[in-house]
Amino acid sequence: MKMQPDRIAAANVIGGYNASSVDIGGRSWERSLLLPWAGEVQAWDDAAFETLTAAHFERAAALGPELLLFGSGRRLRFPRPEWLRPLIERRIGIETMDTRAACRTYNLLVAEGRSVVAALLLEPEG
């Protein structure tokens, strides 16, 4: 398999993670975030599963990925179908998994050169 180091070097890559934080490019994030394959990492409106709306997923869709990985926090929880309308209308695929699995999967897809966004819910310890 031919690697594309320039493409990977320019991508956002997760350096470490746990249930309450994610390290990206030497910065530790402790709030929910939108992580595009390239470009600026963004806070995700202090998102928590209980407060999600279609507007949260609209922000992710606006980044233009081919696939959105939704990290639902410490455990697997599926988004309501009405929340996903912005993704469906743009023909953007979505995969749901817990946040740790989403972090692992995100790095694999970025290494393949895919245009992916991880929408990660981070939950404080306790």
Side-chain angles (χ1 to χ4, degrees):
M1 175 167 112
K2 184 176 179 182
M3 297 296 289
Q4 300 170 336
D6 293 337
R7 190 173 198 175
I8 294 170
N12 292 318
V13 177
I14 297 171
Y17 58 88
N18 60 43
S20 61
S21 70
V22 176
D23 296 327
I24 304 158
R27 179 177 174 191
S28 182
W29 290 78
E30 296 180 353
R31 291 188 164 179
S32 298
L33 61 112
L34 292 174
L35 173 58
W37 71 101
E40 188 176 337
V41 180
Q42 304 172 25
W44 198 23
D45 298 331
D46 293 323
F49 190 82
E50 298 75 19
T51 62
L52 288 175
T53 67
H56 286 93
F57 289 91
E58 174 65 39
R59 278 197 58 210
L63 296 171
E66 64 182 272
L67 177 66
L68 177 82
L69 295 175
F70 173 55
S72 63
R74 294 178 188 270
R75 61 187 175 91
L76 179 62
R77 296 173 284 188
F78 291 95
R80 293 181 179 185
E82 60 267 23
W83 298 347
L84 304 179
R85 174 113 355 250
L87 299 166
I88 294 166
E89 289 173 353
R90 289 182 172 96
R91 304 181 78 106
I92 297 170
I94 183 167
E95 291 291 334
T96 300
M97 52 198 75
D98 66 58
T99 295
R100 289 178 184 226
C103 289
R104 291 188 300 270
T105 304
Y106 170 86
N107 274 355
L108 289 171
L109 293 172
V110 166
E112 292 177 356
R114 304 277 301 273
S115 59
V116 60
V117 169
L120 304 174
L121 294 180
L122 298 176
E123 301 171 319
E125 295 287 336

